[in-house]
Amino acid sequence: MTTSSDLPAQPDPTMLAYVCAEFAIEPPLGGFVGEPGLQAGDALRSASDQGRAMVAIGLLYRRVFVTHEVEEDGQFRVVEADVDLEKLSLERVNGADGAPLCVMVTHLDQQIDLGVWAQVIGGVRLLLLDTHVADNGPDARELCLRPSSPGSTMRSRQDALLGSASEPVLAAIGVHARVQHHAGGQVVQARVHLPSWTAADVVETLALGGAPIRGANLAASVAKLKPRALWNLRARAREHMIERLYARGLPAGDSDALWIGCAGRLGAGLRTDLLFHDLARLGRLLDDPLHAVRMVCSGAADPDDEHGQAQLAKLIELSCDPRFEGRIVFVPDWNLEVARILTEGVDLWLGTATRGRPGESWGIRAAANGGLNLSIAEGWWPEVASEDDHQLGWTLGGERMFDEQAAQDAVDSRMLFALLETEVVPSFYDWDGEAIPQRWVERVRASMRTIPAAFDGQR
């Protein structure tokens, strides 16, 4: 760990400051909670690729992630890992006097001292603010203890701190940003850094090597790919996902099955459990020997989020249930590596966010690798689904029908089962004489041609 950092005294006056309480990067220095952090991490990588003048500002958490250890009896417990700063490639930002920089800011009528650390992400510098400074009390230190989900009380306090501190910190290091973006719980437009999320086999098969992957190039290449080559690409992706899951000790098999994925930050916004409303119907869907269907799920929830923890418990319970073992696979320790395993390998991504709540953009990343989407008509999906819904994937219902969430969930569950039983599964298993499901493959082609280009972070 280095103890000094030299920042430019006279930076580009067009500098953009991207401010967010979380950044999905590796290692997870800024935390990894949900969609705002996902967008923030991809924005940094895209800006670096384009050589844009950007500085990012976040918080340095001392406990960055919550893991879930599954016991032999199927129960799980929450484990928090402390961060070892000595093992991270961080630099302590020093002031003009050569001593570690300390910036005093006013936050909610309280004076707080901030240390500043730096991490380089490609060509962009990420500044991480640290409240674990000698003169700060417990309340101030708690702001940088662990990441929190958007909408929580602690996350509101963290966002407020960043709002108060970003300009004084930039002024203290001589950076004058033209624009500041304070990313809160709502992400207006999804953007994806395709080089970070497109599998190596896709890059090689579509001959996308060399320059950073662009959605337009991916679209042009996949348009020329023959159906057999595209279907083989997806078969290899599925097999590779199963190999990686098996290497983690998970009971994954059936590489010829239709694999459905659903993952993310669990809680009020993400409904991973819609298919669990009717376990008998789910059993029939998963047990058909001629049309095998498998589910792979992952995710995390804040320790104090009772709803999210209940979802986790249900996922783990069913994955260990003899009726579903090997058919429902739960992947613990949700992180960027697990996210890549799933988005690269699944055939269908479920976008089952609660209507009216911020959704997540994992389905875009799955589309870049040839996965199709079945999603509610909110967030990023309507931007492309409304153009030609039949070709790109499937939409789950329309607008919200019931104020009571339980009633809405029940309706959505029935509609989801109906779509899977009557359209999705039959399309996947509608093989021609060459054992290729032509309708499915053409949907994959249309999806890969349209979605990555529409949400390319380089745009």
Side-chain angles (χ1 to χ4, degrees), residues 159-182:
D159 287 336
L161 174 63
L162 285 168
S164 303
S166 55
E167 289 189 14
V169 168
L170 291 174
I173 61 177
V175 172
H176 305 285
R178 179 177 59 87
V179 178
Q180 293 191 39
H181 176 69
H182 293 270

Side-chain angles (χ1 to χ4, degrees), residues 80-376:
E80 287 188 299
D82 292 331
V83 175
D84 186 350
L85 297 183
E86 295 293 333
K87 294 183 179 180
L88 299 178
S89 55
L90 291 174
E91 296 179 348
R92 187 67 180 263
V93 177
N94 293 335
D97 59 358
L101 182 67
C102 185
V103 181
M104 179 179 290
V105 300
T106 301
H107 170 63
L108 301 178
D109 298 325
Q110 180 183 7
Q111 296 296 316
I112 295 180
D113 290 332
L114 296 173
V116 184
W117 300 77
Q119 165 76 1
V120 177
I121 310 297
V124 176
R125 186 156 302 208
L126 170 60
L127 303 176
L128 297 172
L129 311 185
D130 184 13
T131 59
H132 288 254
V133 178
D135 292 338
N136 288 337
D139 288 346
R141 291 169 179 255
E142 188 181 21
L143 292 167
C144 288
L145 183 60
R146 62 175 66 86
S148 300
S149 292
S152 66
T153 300
M154 178 53 68
R155 179 57 173 268
S156 297
R157 291 178 58 198
Q158 292 167 338
D159 287 336
L161 174 63
L162 285 168
S164 303
S166 55
E167 289 189 14
V169 168
L170 291 174
I173 61 177
V175 172
H176 305 285
R178 179 177 59 87
V179 178
Q180 293 191 39
H181 176 69
H182 293 270
Q186 185 75 34
V187 176
V188 178
Q189 188 158 20
R191 286 287 181 262
V192 171
H193 184 246
L194 293 174
S196 294
W197 296 99
T198 307
D201 193 21
V202 174
V203 175
E204 181 178 351
T205 301
L206 300 182
L208 299 175
I213 301 168
R214 296 298 305 271
N217 296 336
L218 192 155
S221 296
V222 78
K224 297 181 290 186
L225 204 62
K226 293 183 179 180
R228 167 57 66 188
L230 187 52
W231 181 240
N232 287 346
L233 173 66
R234 286 300 312 143
R236 291 194 302 271
R238 201 182 309 118
E239 291 173 355
H240 186 45
M241 177 187 71
I242 290 172
E243 290 172 357
R244 295 161 82 182
L245 294 176
Y246 185 79
R248 287 170 166 260
L250 299 171
D254 299 322
S255 61
D256 293 329
L258 165 64
W259 280 83
I260 300 174
C262 186
R265 174 58 56 170
L266 306 181
L270 180 62
R271 299 177 294 172
T272 58
D273 53 356
L274 279 186
L275 288 176
F276 303 156
H277 286 227
D278 190 336
L279 294 182
R281 196 172 182 180
L282 178 60
R284 292 192 295 271
L285 181 70
L286 299 179
D287 289 341
D288 188 337
L290 299 180
H291 304 92
V293 177
R294 301 291 179 260
M295 288 187 65
V296 57
C297 305
S298 188
D302 290 343
D304 56 354
D305 183 347
E306 294 183 2
H307 185 64
Q309 293 295 329
Q311 283 185 320
L312 264 179
K314 190 64 175 180
L315 280 173
I316 295 170
E317 175 190 344
L318 291 181
S319 69
C320 297
D321 190 314
R323 295 174 296 171
F324 302 111
E325 188 173 7
R327 295 175 174 85
I328 299 176
V329 179
F330 173 75
V331 188
D333 298 340
W334 171 243
N335 56 25
L336 293 182
E337 180 186 358
V338 173
R340 288 193 179 93
I341 292 174
L342 270 56
T343 55
E344 291 178 9
V346 299
D347 299 293
L348 183 74
W349 192 269
L350 294 185
T352 55
T354 301
R355 286 174 176 80
R357 301 272 187 140
E360 296 187 344
S361 57
W362 294 113
I364 300 174
R365 292 157 180 83
N369 293 286
L372 297 182
N373 278 272
L374 194 165
S375 177
I376 64 167

Side-chain angles (χ1 to χ4, degrees), residues 24-26 38 40-50 121 124 193 196-197 336 340 458:
I25 58 176
E26 295 172 309
L38 194 61
D42 278 11
L44 264 60
R45 299 181 188 96
S46 296
S48 175
D49 288 350
Q50 298 175 63
I121 310 297
V124 176
H193 184 246
S196 294
W197 296 99
L336 293 182
R340 288 193 179 93
Q458 298 276 3

